[in-house]
């Protein structure tokens, strides 16, 4: 990865010029972003159009597809830049350039003394499941887990698959969009329809554990992403035991590779042996890893990754306006797919419910 890059924004010209990922012309086009006039229109724009306009065709092919769109396992031609990277839109609006804007922000941070950074890569030792388990222990009131809701009816009434009916004063619905759409069919049919129409894609992961002695490659860094132009089945690779502590016992390493996403969803339906074979073959080609894994884990996530298509934010506003006051929506389908985004949305929804007079006591 070129030195001085902040995701797709090059802040170190010489670091980018030393890179072999782009042609000399492609590098200079990226660095010329400071001189590209800002877009005047305020309508939404695709990620592909935004990156191509600001940084050029090569930047879109190499960085935009694998880095920016890869986070969403989707095509940059489909994704909304306003919904996926609103901070980039704001930098262009405020400073006329992403490079200039990030440099100005760095100056302001230095002037305020806020220069410390925390690693982006943290996770509970026992896995993300610990978040749900800890919340269940910390919350007051009645906490029900493993109880599936099949219907919402009347005013804040939920029906469980067991036939039991629960009644509250408000509902905070954090299910995936399609599930939320089905549940809201009776009380908010238009919102339910729009939720069911939100796009999603399917992905899969294969985690492989190796003996550190046999792997023969120092896994320095965190992994790599794969542009569509490469002839590989995998779309990315994370060195899990390097990226996060406690992911492999001493003497072993854990690697996770990704399959599927837009245009490649059929890959995840291959049988387990085929997915493992593809993973091992691509690791041989990219990292020269010929070792036999001592453990493998496969997870398929069917229609689980939200696609924030162009116009997504407007659609979400329409959906939220179409649900009753006592229903709030939060989660990866709406305003950010990451765990911090979901935590923020949950907190905001809880405050909003409190502001409307709903609380746990009701």
């Amino acid at each position: 990865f070129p030195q001085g890059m902040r995701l797709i924004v090059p802040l170190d010209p010489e670091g980018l010029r030393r890179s072999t990922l782009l042609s000399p012309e492609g590098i200079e086009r990226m660095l010329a972003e400071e001189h590209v006039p800002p877009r005047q229109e305020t309508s939404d724009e695709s990620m592909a159009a935004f990156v191509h306009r600001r940084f050029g065709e090569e930047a879109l092919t190499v960085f935009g597809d694998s880095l920016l769109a890869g986070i969403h396992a989707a095509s940059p031609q489909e994704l909304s830049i306003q919904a996926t990277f609103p901070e980039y839109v704001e930098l262009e609006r405020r400073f006329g350039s992403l490079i200039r804007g990030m440099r100005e922000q760095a100056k302001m941070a230095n002037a305020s003394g806020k220069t410390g950074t925390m690693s982006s890569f943290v996770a509970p030792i026992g896995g993300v499941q610990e978040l749900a388990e800890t919340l269940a222990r910390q919350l007051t009131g009645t906490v029900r887990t493993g109880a599936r809701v099949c219907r919402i009816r009347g005013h804040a009434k939920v029906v469980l698959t067991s036939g039991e009916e629960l009644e509250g004063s408000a509902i905070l619905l954090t299910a995936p969009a399609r599930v939320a759409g089905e549940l809201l069919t009776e009380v908010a049919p238009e919102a339910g329809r729009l939720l069911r129409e939100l796009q999603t894609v399917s992905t899969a992961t294969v985690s492989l554990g190796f003996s550190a002695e046999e792997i023969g490659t120092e896994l320095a860094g965190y992994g790599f992403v794969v542009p569509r132009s490469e002839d590989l089945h995998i779309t990315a690779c994370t060195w899990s035991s390097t990226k996060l502590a406690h992911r492999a016992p001493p003497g072993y390493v854990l690697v996770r590779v990704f399959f599927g996403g837009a245009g490649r969803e059929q890959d995840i339906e291959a049988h387990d042996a085929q997915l493992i074979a593809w993973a091992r073959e691509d690791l041989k080609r990219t990292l020269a890893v010929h070792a036999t894994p001592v453990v493998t884990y496969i997870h398929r996530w069917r229609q689980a990754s939200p696609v924030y298509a162009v116009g997504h934010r407007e659609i979400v506003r329409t959906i939220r306006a179409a649900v009753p006051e006592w229903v709030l929506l939060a989660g990866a389908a709406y305003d950010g797919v990451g765990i911090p985004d979901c935590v923020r949305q949950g907190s905001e929804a809880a405050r909003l419910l409190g502001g409307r007079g709903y609380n746990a006591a009701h």
Side-chain angles (χ1 to χ4, degrees):
F1 200 62
Q3 181 179 328
M5 291 280 288
R6 296 297 179 268
L7 205 53
I8 199 173
V9 183
L11 299 182
D12 180 349
E14 293 311 310
L16 183 59
R17 290 188 176 113
R18 287 192 294 270
S19 172
T20 59
L21 290 175
L22 289 80
S23 70
E25 295 78 13
I27 289 171
E28 295 308 317
R29 173 62 183 85
M30 283 197 76
L31 295 174
E33 188 270 345
E34 285 190 86
H35 308 293
V36 174
R39 180 174 182 253
Q40 298 303 313
E41 297 88 345
T42 57
S43 59
D44 202 358
E45 183 179 19
S46 74
M47 178 186 290
F50 180 89
V51 175
H52 186 276
R53 180 169 57 78
R54 302 269 1 136
F55 294 105
E57 180 67 29
E58 283 190 58
L60 172 62
T61 301
V62 175
F63 297 119
D65 180 29
S66 57
L67 278 176
L68 303 189
I71 293 171
H72 298 265
S75 163
Q77 284 74 25
E78 285 187 294
L79 289 168
S80 156
I81 192 67
Q82 286 189 359
T84 53
F85 289 92
E87 64 273 25
Y88 284 177
V89 177
E90 181 64 11
L91 285 173
E92 181 183 35
R93 187 192 68 80
R94 287 184 61 196
F95 301 99
S97 156
L98 276 66
I99 294 175
R100 192 158 55 244
M102 284 200 172
R103 285 178 176 158
E104 289 299 319
Q105 286 185 336
K107 289 179 185 177
M108 290 186 282
N110 288 332
S112 66
K114 297 178 181 178
T115 57
T117 58
M118 179 179 176
S119 170
S120 300
F121 305 122
V122 294
I125 291 176
V128 179
Q129 174 81 13
E130 285 192 357
L131 286 177
E133 293 171 347
T134 303
L135 281 171
R137 289 195 302 269
Q138 296 284 346
L139 289 170
T140 57
T142 302
V143 177
R144 298 274 293 273
T145 61
R148 185 169 183 171
V149 176
C150 63
R151 183 183 173 201
I152 295 174
R153 70 182 192 86
H155 183 99
K157 295 178 181 177
V158 297
V159 181
L160 308 185
T161 51
S162 64
E164 183 181 0
E165 187 173 293
L166 304 175
E167 183 175 359
S169 57
I171 293 174
L172 172 52
L173 189 55
T174 62
R178 291 189 182 186
V179 177
E182 293 294 338
L183 293 175
L184 290 171
T185 298
E186 183 176 325
V187 297
E190 179 61 12
R193 180 185 66 81
L194 292 171
L195 282 165
R196 294 192 296 274
E197 290 177 356
L198 289 179
Q199 296 181 49
T200 54
V201 292
S202 300
T203 60
T205 61
V206 179
S207 296
L208 306 102
F210 297 98
S211 163
E213 185 177 347
E214 289 186 18
I215 199 169
T217 298
E218 182 183 0
L219 299 180
Y222 299 119
F224 59 88
V225 291
V226 182
R228 293 167 189 267
S229 55
E230 296 291 334
D231 183 26
L232 295 174
H233 278 96
I234 65 175
T235 60
C237 175
T238 292
W239 303 334
S240 302
S241 53
T242 305
K243 187 175 180 179
L244 296 167
H246 311 291
R247 287 299 182 258
Y252 293 89
V253 298
L254 185 65
V255 173
R256 175 182 292 169
V257 299
F258 297 78
F259 292 95
R264 299 178 175 181
E265 292 185 85
Q266 71 280 359
D267 284 355
I268 79 160
E269 300 304 338
H271 53 76
D272 289 3
Q274 181 64 76
L275 283 178
I276 293 170
W278 282 338
R280 294 188 62 190
E281 178 60 30
D282 285 355
L283 288 177
K284 288 177 187 177
R285 295 177 60 186
T286 54
L287 297 177
V289 171
H290 295 269
T292 300
V294 294
V295 293
T296 58
Y297 306 96
I298 297 175
H299 292 91
R300 291 176 175 85
W301 309 98
R302 292 180 176 88
Q303 300 303 319
S305 295
V307 175
Y308 290 179
V310 174
H312 175 80
R313 295 175 77 176
E314 184 59 37
I315 293 170
V316 169
R317 280 193 286 269
T318 301
I319 290 170
R320 286 188 162 138
V323 298
E325 184 190 57
W326 45 269
V327 173
L328 262 70
L329 302 167
Y334 308 105
D335 299 317
V337 299
I339 289 175
D341 296 311
C342 293
V343 170
R344 170 183 52 78
Q345 291 180 63
S347 298
E348 290 172 353
R351 285 194 293 271
L352 185 55
L353 283 173
R356 292 178 181 177
Y358 302 113
N359 56 56
H362 296 148

